[in-house]
Amino acid sequence: MDFSVKKFDLLAELNLTQGVVERKTTIPILSNLLCEAKGSRLTITATDLEISICTACDAKIKKEGAGTIPAKKLLELVRLLPDSEIKFKLLDNHWVEIISDRKKYKMVGMARDNFPQLAPAPHPLVKIPAKILSAMIARTAFAISTEESRYTLNGALLVLKPESAVMVATDGHRLALVETAHKFDGLNAEVRVLVPRKAMMEVQRLAAEAGEDAQVDFARDDTNLYFQFGGRLLISRLLTGQFPNYEAVLPRENDKKITLDRNELNDAVRRVAQLADQRSHAVKMALSKDGVEISSSSPEYGEAKETIEMEWKGPEISIGFNAQYLLDFLGAAAEGPISLELKDEQSAGQLRPLGDEAYQYRYVIMPMRI
Amino acid sequence: MDAFFVSVELLARPELRGKPVVVGGRPDHRGVVSAASYEARKFGIHSAMPLRTAARLCPHAVFLDGHSALYSEWSDRIAAIFAKYSPIVEMASVDEAYLDLAGTERLHGPPLAAAHKLRCEIWERTHLPASMGLAATRLVAKVASDQAKPRGLLWVAPGMEEVFLAPLPVRKIPGIGKVTEAGLHALGIQTVGQLAAVPLEKLENAFGQWGVALHRKARGQDAYEFFLDAEPKSISHNHTFGVDIDDAETLHTTLSHLAEKATKRLRDSGLYARVVTVAIRYKSFKTITRAKSLREPTDLDSVILATAKELFQANRDRRQQVRLLGVALSGFEHAAPQLDLLDAGRRERLEKLARATDRLREKFGFSKLQRGSSLRLPDDE
């Protein structure tokens, strides 16, 4: 292997691999990147066995071949190098020589044969606009459970239908559901897959790099999901198991509805949360004829009370929510009016942004006993 | 409580009253005396003495196996009686407690009368003998209680503390063990009175900070106050095995039992725990503790047991025999306010079950109602 590549071409691809490379791994080779020089392209692969990324950039290849290089060290070094051509050459014992002008480095590599083989991508099932994937992930990813024991909640459910796409995530306390209309050419049946959290983060990163109009070739087989962004391929192990029947928990009788401005509500909850109990993060929302009172108290810090004035003719109702859960949603929701829909103190509340035309977005949040 | 383990055993074996009785195991077994009746003590038998030595000192003594679960059940019942006499009760061990009687006059009369009433009530309701010391500080009360044994009540009137302590050997002061005693003897100090007469600097030179404490203790003062805010920082239950164990079933039933015990106490205190810790001590005395934080606080056996098991399985070194297991709960909160979306009502049902379980246990004893996973404990029959 002997090639040269422009610093910024290489750096852009190296940056994309960093989320995948394991920091703490018991398998040393997984800390390395696989670099393959072939034709006029340099292909870079990273994997943690759960998720893999394969990306490429133009390079001048003198001699085809492949080697593995420690990912973190390579990124740090390339970042610090001046903007010029960088030459790579595989030496004996898997070492790799890196030369930029008169600067010379040798990094300890590992045998290419020890690097795991990636599954080849099957024929794409459908094209999804990167923009849609990214928008759906931004509206749901925060609601994914981080509890490893709740395995099937460690990802989001993606449902592709011939004319729409749905994404749902829940951690058992709240649920985020987003749906958008889009005609998927060539899709005749419904596709339901569980996408792990880490894969969602990487898809979002790749979508941001790919630009406004990029299309993602999506494919799946029995074990993996494949997201192809042009020359870049993300492979993620499929989460198996039964995602909860989310439709059963969507509220249907929440007849107490008020409309609030997203920014106004967001700012009020953020301020009031400062004095909420530091462990439970509980804030209280009370609807009365004066409007919505948002309050909190904690024995250590004191208490907070804010009123958003508005007309409310319905019965008085007072309900507790985890402030962080509210803020997660408000941060992801589109600006403009938000509909808050309640039933009673014990039942799930629902929040919907009304100004979001492209995405039907619902957030269901279970109250706290206060 | 006087010779507590023996007294509990005698409830079932009244024919042994008045005889030398040793609790701890068979005389030819390895192990030590857990408790000895006063009749056995006359032969020089005391707790922590090897069983074989005890058998040599008094070959006709009756040797009984210990039943730790039974003792803690009786201990719980006695604690419930204490709770009627003072809101501030500190269980120092399974058979020892401090009660703060300040401010209870209107309910129970002057302290001496209240103490007498309490001792009578314990006897009437349990038929277990108790001794009590009544004094202005915990330290003097403890020493007085020891002096009152068996079946006595000793009141040290305020101002009489030094007079009461002075003739006693220094070893009677709680905290003074073999080492300090030897150090004091080397300085020519035998009694508490002699200790009280030693200038502070001299004790400080000889014992450092501990010398300062000794100076205070000799006067009957203790630095330790009752905490009005008696909320514990952690609740734990440990079990030391009679013989080191590597049998998975025994380890799991023990862990389950400990988790249940700790969770019951958690609920009794009206608390919810966010952190579960498991302690494992191996035969080699190497001890590891591993903790896990829960996403939300809980007072449910099922959650705490599952977490304890997960910690145990992930961290246990299977090559080593286990000497001690412990389960500790901490990170307390007063409520678990977040309701569940996917399984609404499940936690409420489990909480109802736990409360019903607790009520039955209070009536019939802890071991009468246990999870299946806690059964088959060897010392629990």
Side-chain angles (χ1 to χ4, degrees):
Chain A
M1 179 180 78
D2 188 347
F3 63 89
S4 67
V5 58
K6 286 203 188 83
K7 170 190 164 160
F8 282 101
D9 289 351
L10 179 61
L11 190 57
E13 306 311 315
L14 290 181
N15 276 326
L16 287 173
T17 62
Q18 297 304 306
V20 171
V21 178
E22 276 287 298
R23 265 158 234 281
K24 288 178 284 181
T25 176
T26 47
I27 309 171
I29 190 96
L30 300 185
S31 307
N32 283 17
L33 297 174
L34 172 64
C35 298
E36 294 167 292
K38 197 176 177 193
S40 62
R41 302 281 281 175
L42 166 67
T43 307
I44 302 169
T45 307
T47 182
D48 69 357
L49 300 181
E50 291 295 315
I51 180 166
S52 311
I53 191 165
C54 186
T55 177
C57 64
D58 288 333
K60 284 184 210 134
I61 314 275
K62 247 189 187 167
K63 188 179 171 200
E64 292 189 343
T68 79
I69 310 175
K72 299 285 166 213
K73 283 286 165 216
L74 180 63
L75 175 72
E76 292 306 325
L77 180 64
V78 171
R79 262 192 199 141
L80 296 170
L81 287 174
D83 180 12
S84 64
E85 266 320 272
I86 308 172
K87 289 185 191 141
F88 287 79
K89 192 175 173 189
L90 185 66
L91 307 176
D92 291 341
N93 250 345
H94 318 301
W95 284 47
V96 176
E97 182 182 65
I98 301 168
I99 300 173
S100 162
D101 299 326
R102 303 182 64 182
K103 297 175 268 300
K104 229 176 170 180
Y105 315 88
K106 282 181 195 166
M107 288 176 83
V108 182
M110 293 171 88
R112 178 242 184 283
D113 296 341
N114 294 339
F115 199 88
Q117 277 282 346
L118 301 193
H123 188 70
L125 209 58
V126 66
K127 274 190 193 309
I128 311 174
K131 197 169 64 177
I132 288 183
L133 264 184
S134 177
M136 293 204 299
I137 291 170
R139 284 165 176 76
T140 54
F142 58 83
I144 294 175
S145 173
T146 50
E147 270 182 304
E148 281 169 36
S149 55
R150 304 186 88 169
Y151 185 70
T152 56
L153 302 186
N154 291 167
L157 175 69
L158 172 66
V159 185
L160 299 173
K161 301 174 189 176
E163 310 229 310
S164 69
V166 179
M167 190 172 263
V168 197
T170 178
D171 63 3
H173 292 165
R174 32 68 184 272
L175 178 146
L177 165 66
V178 60
E179 184 162 9
T180 189
H182 181 80
K183 196 165 163 33
F184 291 103
D185 290 328
L187 189 68
N188 305 316
E190 189 179 282
V191 178
R192 290 170 80 94
V193 288
L194 278 177
V195 190
R197 164 209 282 284
K198 199 169 170 185
M200 290 171 73
M201 298 299 131
E202 295 310 317
V203 166
Q204 210 165 20
R205 205 197 291 246
L206 289 168
E209 280 288 312
E212 262 294 285
D213 303 319
Q215 296 280 329
V216 182
D217 285 315
F218 173 74
R220 64 167 293 185
D221 54 27
D222 290 342
T223 47
N224 291 315
L225 300 174
Y226 303 84
F227 298 89
Q228 180 92 48
F229 293 75
R232 297 170 180 145
L233 173 66
L234 181 79
I235 306 175
S236 165
R237 198 176 278 268
L238 196 60
L239 263 185
T240 50
Q242 192 68 40
F243 194 77
N245 179 11
Y246 67 92
E247 277 157 331
V249 302
L250 297 177
R252 296 178 207 291
E253 300 156 23
N254 287 18
D255 51 355
K256 299 171 188 67
K257 298 183 186 177
I258 53 165
T259 305
L260 296 154
D261 177 67
R262 185 198 83 162
N263 291 348
E264 200 178 352
L265 180 60
N266 188 54
D267 292 352
V269 173
R270 274 176 71 178
R271 285 188 297 260
V272 170
Q274 294 302 316
L275 297 182
D277 184 279
Q278 290 304 291
R279 286 179 289 204
S280 73
H281 304 289
V283 297
K284 192 161 93 176
M285 297 181 85
L287 269 59
S288 72
K289 60 178 175 20
D290 301 327
V292 188
E293 184 188 274
I294 303 164
S295 62
S296 69
S297 70
S298 76
E300 294 105 327
Y301 300 108
E303 50 188 60
K305 195 175 277 187
E306 289 196 21
T307 304
I308 300 176
E309 284 181 27
M310 63 169 37
E311 199 173 319
W312 172 247
K313 288 182 181 147
E316 293 196 353
I317 177 169
S318 168
I319 188 165
F321 287 120
N322 182 324
Q324 191 52 52
Y325 293 173
L326 290 171
L327 294 173
D328 284 344
F329 164 77
L330 293 169
E335 290 206 25
I338 300 272
S339 171
L340 170 66
E341 299 156 5
L342 304 173
K343 182 182 170 209
D344 56 41
E345 287 84 352
Q346 315 292 327
S347 307
Q350 179 166 268
L351 290 144
R352 287 186 303 129
L354 301 176
D356 196 346
E357 280 169 13
Y359 296 91
Q360 283 92 55
Y361 184 23
R362 306 169 72 169
Y363 188 57
V364 181
I365 169 171
M366 206 58 189
M368 302 180 89
R369 286 186 283 213
I370 43 167
Chain B
M1 303 304 296
D2 300 340
F4 181 57
F5 298 171
V6 175
S7 302
V8 171
E9 296 296 337
L10 292 187
L11 292 175
R13 307 272 306 268
E15 75 278 9
L16 296 179
R17 273 184 212 287
K19 296 193 174 144
V21 176
V22 173
V23 172
R26 284 175 36 197
D28 54 344
H29 274 193
R30 93 173 190 188
V32 295
V33 175
S34 311
S37 70
Y38 286 91
E39 292 77 11
R41 291 183 200 186
K42 285 182 191 147
F43 292 89
I45 297 173
H46 56 79
S47 43
M49 170 184 279
L51 287 164
R52 288 198 178 93
T53 314
R56 214 169 44 238
L57 288 171
C58 181
H60 63 284
V62 180
F63 286 81
L64 301 174
D65 286 334
H67 300 92
S68 57
L70 190 63
Y71 308 144
S72 64
E73 247 167 57
W74 281 102
S75 175
D76 290 347
R77 276 177 223 178
I78 295 161
I81 302 175
F82 290 156
K84 287 165 57 182
Y85 285 81
S86 170
I88 304 167
V89 177
E90 193 184 305
M91 292 298 289
S93 70
V94 70
D95 67 341
E96 224 176 17
Y98 294 98
L99 276 78
D100 187 351
L101 292 179
T104 64
E105 286 90 344
R106 283 179 58 188
L107 267 173
H108 302 290
L112 190 56
H116 178 68
K117 214 165 100 185
L118 170 57
R119 216 170 64 81
C120 294
E121 183 169 351
I122 293 175
W123 175 252
E124 278 159 21
R125 301 204 16 198
T126 66
H127 280 273
L128 294 170
S131 297
M132 291 178 189
L134 187 62
T137 67
R138 294 159 46 102
L139 181 138
V140 179
K142 157 93 175 142
V143 177
S145 167
D146 288 342
Q147 293 302 104
K149 279 179 194 295
R151 292 172 175 249
L153 166 60
L154 182 57
W155 178 40
V156 180
M160 299 300 286
E161 289 87 357
E162 286 195 54
V163 179
F164 162 68
L165 292 173
L168 301 173
V170 287
R171 187 72 186 265
K172 291 278 179 185
I173 299 285
I176 296 187
K178 247 190 229 166
V179 177
T180 309
E181 185 189 32
L184 290 170
H185 285 178
L187 294 171
I189 301 164
Q190 304 288 339
T191 67
V192 182
Q194 289 167 342
L195 177 61
V198 180
L200 175 62
E201 299 77 58
K202 194 173 165 191
L203 285 175
E204 205 175 346
N205 284 339
F207 297 99
Q209 273 302 306
W210 178 226
V212 180
L214 287 174
H215 187 78
R216 215 173 44 229
K217 281 171 187 277
R219 282 163 186 71
Q221 301 160 1
D222 53 33
Y224 192 10
E225 295 282 326
F226 280 99
F227 288 104
L228 256 181
D229 177 12
E231 187 173 297
K233 287 212 161 39
S234 76
I235 290 176
S236 59
H237 270 274
N238 298 320
H239 181 81
T240 306
F241 294 101
V243 284
D244 301 328
I245 296 286
D246 51 13
D247 165 49
E249 196 177 330
T250 308
L251 290 168
H252 277 118
T253 51
T254 305
L255 194 71
S256 171
H257 184 73
L258 293 169
E260 273 200 284
K261 279 273 202 186
T263 315
K264 162 89 166 58
R265 264 175 62 204
L266 181 74
R267 284 194 298 268
D268 287 348
S269 313
L271 297 171
Y272 296 77
R274 200 183 267 279
V275 181
V276 179
T277 307
V278 166
I280 309 169
R281 177 171 296 149
Y282 296 108
K283 192 178 181 175
S284 61
F285 271 84
K286 184 186 165 211
T287 307
I288 60 161
T289 58
R290 295 289 181 273
K292 187 179 176 190
S293 284
L294 305 170
R295 184 167 70 137
E296 50 192 327
T298 186
D299 67 346
L300 294 177
D301 304 77
S302 51
V303 178
I304 284 166
L305 180 56
T307 313
K309 274 196 170 156
E310 183 189 324
L311 284 167
F312 178 72
Q313 269 161 355
N315 295 295
R316 179 195 166 200
D317 179 354
R318 282 180 176 70
R319 290 163 303 182
Q320 297 197 58
Q321 287 189 319
V322 177
R323 181 183 171 85
L324 170 146
L325 269 184
V327 174
L329 308 175
S330 56
F332 295 139
E333 292 178 34
H334 290 274
Q338 178 66 54
L339 300 174
D340 202 272
L341 177 68
L342 300 177
D343 201 354
R346 178 168 181 267
R347 200 174 70 199
E348 282 75 6
R349 289 196 298 278
L350 287 172
E351 280 176 358
K352 261 188 199 160
L353 176 67
R355 277 196 295 275
T357 309
D358 290 348
R359 279 197 299 275
L360 284 169
R361 283 168 171 174
E362 269 146 34
K363 216 163 168 182
F364 301 111
F366 185 88
S367 59
K368 292 292 175 289
L369 194 62
Q370 290 189 65
R371 301 179 79 84
S373 57
S374 302
L375 293 177
R376 272 182 57 94
L377 257 192
D379 68 339
D380 226 36
E381 66 279 3

